[in-house]
Amino acid sequence: MNSRNKYGYLFIAPFFIVFSIFGIYPILLSLYMSFTDYKGIGSPFNANWVGLQQYARLLKDTYFLQAFINTWKIWGVNIILQLALALILAVIFSDVRLKLKGVSLYRAIFYLPNLMTVSSVALLFLFILDWQHGALNGLLLKAGFISKPVNWLGQPQTAQLSVSLIQTWLWFGHTFIIIFAGIEGISKDYFEAAMIDGASRTQTFFKVTLPLLKPIMIYVVITSLIGGLQLFEIPFLMSQNGLGGPEGSLVTMVLYLYNQAFKYRNFGYAAAVAYGLFFIILIFSIFVFKGMFKEEA
C-alpha cells in the first residue's frame, strides 16, 4: 500500500509543481512587491522596502476611488438588467401552462454572444456606436428618435451605459441558462399544487419560484460581482489606448491597476491595488452571501 501511495504522489506532483510556480509564487511575489517601491527594473527583491506606504497611498488615492465608483456603476446597471431579463425569460420559457416550443434553440441563441471573443465584441460595438458613421445613430436618425448624432463613447454617462449594456448582452445568455436550469430543477408538483389552489402566475412566481431559486440567485450575483469588479477588457478596448474614455469614466479598478503597472511602471503600488481589490471583492461577496441567506425574523 505504501508503495502504491508513493506512485500516487508522483502522478499528482506535476499539478502541484505547475500550480506552485504559476499560482502560489506569483501571489506571494505580488504580496512582497506591495511592500516595496518596485519599478519593474531588475529584481523586485532589490527594490526599496516601504512597508505599508503603498496601502496608505491607496486609501487616500482619489483616482482609485473614482475607478471604484465607475466599476460599481457599470456593474450595477449590468447585473440589474441581466438578472431581470434572464429571470423573466426563464420563467416564461419554463411555464408549464404556456408549454412553449423551441426552447433549446432560444437557449443556444441567447448563449451565442458568450462564445465570442471580447476583442471581437469590442470591435463590433465600436463600429455600431461610432458617432459619425455608426449603425445605431443611423437607425435612430432615420426613425426620428434623435435630431443629431450622439457621441455614445464621448460622454461619461453614455459611455458607462454603453459598456453596461454590452456586458449585459455578453453575459445575459449565461445567466439565463443557469436560472432556467434552476427553475427546471424545481419539482413540478409545487407548480401544479399552486395551479390547483388557484394561484395566479404572479403569486406562483413570488411564493414558489423565487424562494426556491434563492441559492441559484446567490450564485449568480456573487459570481457576477467577482467578475464585474474585475472588469477590464471592454473598457480597455473601447477607450483611447486604455486611458479610460471621456473624463476617465471607463477607468475601472483593474484598468487603473493595469495603467499603474504597465504605463507608469509603479509595480509596487499596482500590487497594493491588486490586494486592495481582492479584499473589496471578498468583503462584498461575504456581505451579499450573508444578506441573501439572512433568516427572516
Side-chain angles (χ1 to χ4, degrees):
M1 182 62 70
N2 290 332
S3 177
R4 290 182 179 180
N5 287 341
K6 290 179 181 179
Y7 285 114
Y9 288 127
L10 287 175
F11 280 114
I12 65 174
F15 166 78
F16 284 103
I17 292 171
V18 172
F19 178 69
S20 298
I21 295 172
F22 296 103
I24 295 176
Y25 176 70
I27 291 172
L28 296 177
L29 180 61
S30 61
L31 178 61
Y32 174 81
M33 285 167 54
S34 69
F35 296 105
T36 69
D37 63 352
Y38 183 54
K39 299 294 184 181
I41 300 174
S43 171
F45 298 106
N46 295 329
N48 296 321
W49 181 267
V50 295
L52 296 174
Q53 287 183 21
Q54 304 287 22
Y55 292 96
R57 174 186 171 186
L58 180 63
L59 294 174
K60 301 175 184 178
D61 192 343
T62 56
Y63 293 105
F64 178 76
L65 176 61
Q66 187 59 50
F68 175 82
I69 294 171
N70 291 342
T71 306
W72 275 98
K73 283 182 179 179
I74 295 170
W75 177 77
V77 174
N78 166 37
I79 190 61
I80 291 170
L81 292 175
Q82 197 179 129
L83 274 180
L85 286 172
L87 193 57
I88 290 169
L89 289 175
V91 169
I92 292 172
F93 281 115
S94 60
D95 195 324
V96 293
R97 306 177 198 184
L98 295 177
K99 296 181 180 179
L100 296 176
K101 297 181 180 180
V103 175
S104 298
L105 176 62
Y106 282 107
R107 281 189 298 183
I109 293 172
F110 293 157
Y111 192 75
L112 190 61
N114 203 241
L115 300 177
M116 299 174 66
T117 61
V118 178
S119 56
S120 301
V121 171
L123 184 61
L124 170 67
F125 279 96
L126 279 173
F127 283 114
I128 292 173
L129 298 175
D130 182 74
W131 76 280
Q132 291 179 310
H133 309 291
L136 181 59
N137 275 336
L139 288 173
L140 294 176
L141 284 168
K142 286 183 179 179
F145 290 112
I146 57 176
S147 57
K148 60 181 181 179
V150 177
N151 191 354
W152 300 102
L153 299 176
Q155 304 172 55
Q157 292 79 12
T158 54
Q160 289 180 344
L161 180 60
S162 298
V163 172
S164 294
L165 293 176
I166 292 169
Q167 288 292 120
T168 301
W169 181 76
L170 264 175
W171 292 100
F172 153 72
H174 177 264
T175 303
F176 168 79
I177 286 178
I178 292 174
I179 294 177
F180 182 80
I183 295 175
E184 289 291 294
I186 299 173
S187 174
K188 301 300 180 186
D189 295 341
Y190 293 110
F191 299 110
E192 291 172 0
M195 289 173 62
I196 293 170
D197 290 339
S200 65
R201 285 191 174 92
T202 304
Q203 291 173 323
T204 302
F205 174 73
F206 284 104
K207 298 295 183 181
V208 178
T209 308
L210 208 53
L212 293 174
L213 270 181
K214 181 179 271 191
I216 302 296
M217 298 295 286
I218 291 171
Y219 169 78
V220 169
V221 172
I222 290 179
T223 53
S224 178
L225 175 69
I226 293 170
L229 295 187
Q230 297 180 77
L231 181 62
F232 171 74
E233 296 95 334
I234 295 295
F236 176 79
L237 293 168
M238 301 195 72
S239 60
Q240 302 92 351
N241 299 318
L243 295 178
E247 300 178 23
S249 58
L250 296 183
V251 176
T252 61
M253 289 186 284
V254 176
L255 182 54
Y256 181 73
L257 185 160
Y258 172 87
N259 287 336
Q260 286 297 322
F262 299 106
K263 285 187 181 292
Y264 309 125
R265 312 299 293 177
N266 295 324
F267 284 89
Y269 183 58
V273 172
Y275 274 91
L277 177 59
F278 167 75
F279 283 110
I280 288 171
I281 293 173
L282 178 64
I283 291 167
F284 280 101
S285 296
I286 293 172
F287 176 78
V288 170
F289 187 82
K290 293 285 186 181
M292 295 189 76
F293 263 125
K294 186 177 181 181
E295 293 182 359
E296 296 182 359

